[in-house]
């Protein structure tokens, strides 16, 4: 007989239609209550060629690693590039493995020193400090001394169809964020993966984890930002929304959510999805539907902890939480993401969004390789600048 699902903290989902709150019920957001959209159209020949080649092998690109992971949070092998350029501290919180990255080549904190001891055999390769002044727009008390611990924690959930750990491209992306955003304490979250740990098993673990994250931030007077791409963007959204809806202790420490090409609706049934499918170089509607079914398992796909598009966003509007995001035009997930972005604007959740025509799913991640694909590079720069402004 199958064991029952772990107990789950459920917000009220009796009404999926969100009522627009009165303006008087909502204090002004620190970043303003407006949604600003940066719409870009540039598309280079190199990107076009890559899209053409990617479509030819699209079924293989979307298959993932194919190797299932055991139940619970998997312990991750750290990519060699990340270890060479960053101090990596591996630790656990509430049964979830975490990986804190600090850039090498800087004066270290006591935590850095501990991380360095575990990798003392490696040669330190200081990265060039090419960050823009705008991306480091933080309060003086957080940046006045380089050896002080950053007062803003950035927890990142990597995408991978809810079933794969961070890819080598992810680790390069993390490394770039670590060096370009030193005002943040960057922590990579190794969340439980399907099929061994689908949502009914994984979400309660992650809810307890976020409760601890916010309590820890409250005790240290740190701010918290949740971020992620694709499936990881989904988790950043549902966990952040749930924490505000449930009024978790320390919920006031949550400042931002950054969702890069996120999964926002596991129903996967937008009527115009097929028109995007024919142009998507990476994903297919069939594949995203299979991913959704595997992650949802026994839960209905319109469950509020699966599909943030059905969630009540009013608590975030009242608290002044910003939701920032990236939308790629040639991504089967983009249509639902635009609906979610519009919903944020309707209820007064402020944020900055990048919409790029003819771009593919999660295109900013390739920016970690440099300017080979200019759109990806600019997308990465946009993310760094937005996070820097909202530190």
């Amino acid at each position: 007989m199958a064991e029952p699902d772990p107990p789950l903290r459920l917000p009220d989902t009796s009404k999926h239609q969100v009522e627009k709150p009165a303006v008087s019920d909502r204090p002004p957001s620190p970043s303003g209550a407006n949604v600003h959209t940066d719409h870009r159209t540039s598309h280079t020949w190199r990107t076009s060629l890559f899209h053409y080649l990617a479509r030819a092998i699209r079924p293989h690109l979307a298959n993932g690693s194919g190797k299932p992971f055991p139940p619970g949070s998997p312990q991750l092998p750290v990519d060699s590039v990340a270890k060479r350029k960053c101090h990596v501290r591996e630790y656990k919180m509430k049964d979830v493995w975490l990986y804190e990255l600090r850039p090498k080549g800087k004066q270290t904190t006591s935590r850095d020193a501990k991380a360095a001891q575990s990798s003392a055999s490696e040669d330190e390769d200081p990265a060039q400090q090419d960050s823009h002044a705008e991306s480091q727009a933080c309060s003086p008390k957080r940046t006045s001394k380089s050896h002080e611990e950053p007062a803003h924690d950035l927890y990142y959930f990597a995408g991978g169809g809810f079933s794969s750990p961070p890819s080598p491209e992810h680790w390069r992306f993390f490394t770039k964020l670590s060096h370009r955003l030193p005002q943040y304490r960057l922590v990579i979250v190794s969340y439980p993966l399907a099929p061994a740990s689908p949502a009914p098993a994984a979400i309660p673990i992650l809810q307890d984890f976020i409760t601890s994250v916010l309590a820890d931030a409250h005790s240290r007077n740190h701010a918290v930002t949740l971020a992620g791409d694709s499936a990881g963007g989904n988790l950043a959204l549902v966990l952040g929304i749930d924490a505000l809806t449930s009024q978790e202790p320390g919920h006031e420490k949550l400042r931002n959510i950054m969702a890069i090409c996120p999964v926002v609706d596991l129903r996967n049934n937008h009527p115009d999805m097929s028109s995007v499918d024919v142009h998507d170089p990476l994903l297919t509607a069939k594949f995203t539907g299979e991913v959704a079914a595997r992650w949802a398992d026994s839960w209905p796909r319109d469950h509020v902890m699966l599909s943030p598009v059905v969630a009540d966003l009013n608590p975030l509007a009242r608290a002044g939480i910003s939701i920032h995001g990236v939308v790629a035009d040639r991504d089967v997930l983009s249509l639902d993401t635009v609906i979610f972005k519009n919903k944020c604007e309707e209820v007064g959740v402020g944020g900055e969004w990048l919409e790029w025509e003819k771009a593919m799913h999660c295109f900013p991640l390739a920016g970690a390789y440099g300017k080979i694909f200019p759109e990806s590079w600019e997308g990465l720069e946009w993310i760094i600048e937005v996070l820097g402004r909202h530190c």
Side-chain angles (χ1 to χ4, degrees), residues 40 42 44 47 50-51 173 326 354 356 359-384:
R40 303 191 189 184
S42 61
T44 61
T47 299
F50 177 74
H51 286 191
F173 180 74
V326 177
L354 174 65
W356 207 304
M360 65 179 282
H361 181 65
C362 291
F363 67 97
L365 270 64
Y369 289 97
K371 299 181 180 180
I372 300 175
F373 303 112
E375 299 89 340
S376 296
W377 172 262
E378 292 180 32
L380 171 59
E381 290 295 306
W382 182 91
I383 291 168
I384 290 169

Side-chain angles (χ1 to χ4, degrees), residues 76-135:
L76 301 178
V78 179
D79 184 80
S80 59
V81 172
K83 288 193 292 185
R84 188 172 71 249
K85 295 187 175 182
C86 297
H87 300 288
V88 182
R89 184 172 75 98
E90 179 187 68
Y91 65 106
K92 235 179 181 184
M93 179 186 289
K94 282 291 182 177
D95 296 322
V96 175
W97 283 104
L98 302 173
Y99 298 83
E100 179 183 345
L101 272 63
R102 297 285 187 88
K104 288 185 177 180
K106 293 188 174 185
Q107 190 169 359
T108 61
T109 66
S110 58
R111 289 189 177 188
D112 291 331
K114 291 179 181 178
Q117 290 176 4
S118 64
S119 58
S121 60
E122 297 184 85
D123 294 329
E124 292 190 0
D125 180 21
Q128 294 181 349
Q129 303 305 308
D130 56 350
S131 56
H132 299 306
E134 183 180 30
S135 73

Side-chain angles (χ1 to χ4, degrees), residues 54-382:
R55 279 188 56 78
I57 57 174
R58 182 167 67 161
H60 304 288
L61 290 175
N63 279 339
S65 65
K67 179 181 178 181
F69 285 79
S73 168
Q75 191 171 6
L76 301 178
V78 179
D79 184 80
S80 59
V81 172
K83 288 193 292 185
R84 188 172 71 249
K85 295 187 175 182
C86 297
H87 300 288
V88 182
R89 184 172 75 98
E90 179 187 68
Y91 65 106
K92 235 179 181 184
M93 179 186 289
K94 282 291 182 177
D95 296 322
V96 175
W97 283 104
L98 302 173
Y99 298 83
E100 179 183 345
L101 272 63
R102 297 285 187 88
K104 288 185 177 180
K106 293 188 174 185
Q107 190 169 359
T108 61
T109 66
S110 58
R111 289 189 177 188
D112 291 331
K114 291 179 181 178
Q117 290 176 4
S118 64
S119 58
S121 60
E122 297 184 85
D123 294 329
E124 292 190 0
D125 180 21
Q128 294 181 349
Q129 303 305 308
D130 56 350
S131 56
H132 299 306
E134 183 180 30
S135 73
Q136 300 195 29
C138 227
S139 61
K141 67 179 181 180
R142 295 175 187 167
T143 58
S144 59
K145 294 182 180 180
S146 62
H147 66 276
E148 289 183 352
E149 180 178 287
H152 199 138
D153 300 333
L154 173 59
Y155 289 89
Y156 195 98
F157 300 79
F162 299 105
S163 60
S164 298
S167 66
E169 289 73 25
H170 277 112
W171 286 106
R172 287 178 179 268
F173 180 74
F174 303 153
T175 299
K176 182 67 71 174
L177 293 182
S178 173
H179 280 270
R180 293 291 303 280
L181 293 168
Q183 63 269 51
Y184 284 90
R185 188 176 73 93
L186 176 62
V187 181
I188 313 308
V189 182
S190 177
Y191 55 89
L193 300 171
S197 296
I203 292 296
I205 295 173
L206 292 173
Q207 286 177 311
D208 288 345
F209 165 70
I210 289 297
T211 297
S212 294
V213 163
L214 294 174
D216 177 65
H218 179 77
S219 69
R220 295 186 294 128
N221 196 27
H222 278 204
V224 172
T225 289
L226 304 179
D229 63 273
S230 194
N234 171 282
L235 291 174
L237 287 168
V238 298
L239 293 171
I241 294 168
D242 178 58
L244 265 293
T245 303
S246 305
Q247 295 289 287
E248 283 298 300
H251 68 274
E252 73 281 357
K253 292 300 182 181
L254 182 62
R255 295 287 185 269
N256 311 285
I257 302 173
M258 170 65 79
I260 303 167
C261 301
V263 181
V264 298
D265 192 345
L266 262 69
R267 292 172 294 188
N268 201 59
N269 62 358
H270 193 286
D272 296 327
M273 186 174 279
S274 60
S275 64
V276 181
D277 189 306
V278 297
H279 298 291
D280 191 323
L282 181 63
L283 303 177
T284 66
K286 178 177 182 293
F287 172 74
T288 54
E290 293 169 351
V291 167
R294 185 166 56 242
W295 180 245
D297 195 49
S298 61
W299 284 0
R301 294 197 204 177
D302 62 352
H303 195 297
V304 73
M305 295 304 295
L306 296 178
S307 297
V309 74
V310 305
D312 181 1
L313 301 179
N314 287 303
L316 281 77
R318 288 191 290 268
I321 306 301
S322 296
I323 296 181
H324 314 291
V326 177
V327 183
D329 181 62
R330 291 185 174 177
D331 176 0
V332 293
L333 303 176
S334 63
L335 297 170
D336 291 323
T337 306
V338 171
I339 292 174
F340 179 80
K341 179 188 75 113
N342 292 340
K343 182 176 178 179
C344 288
E345 189 165 21
E346 288 169 7
V347 303
V349 177
E352 300 188 49
W353 288 78
L354 174 65
E355 291 186 356
W356 207 304
E357 290 186 15
K358 298 183 180 180
M360 65 179 282
H361 181 65
C362 291
F363 67 97
L365 270 64
Y369 289 97
K371 299 181 180 180
I372 300 175
F373 303 112
E375 299 89 340
S376 296
W377 172 262
E378 292 180 32
L380 171 59
E381 290 295 306
W382 182 91

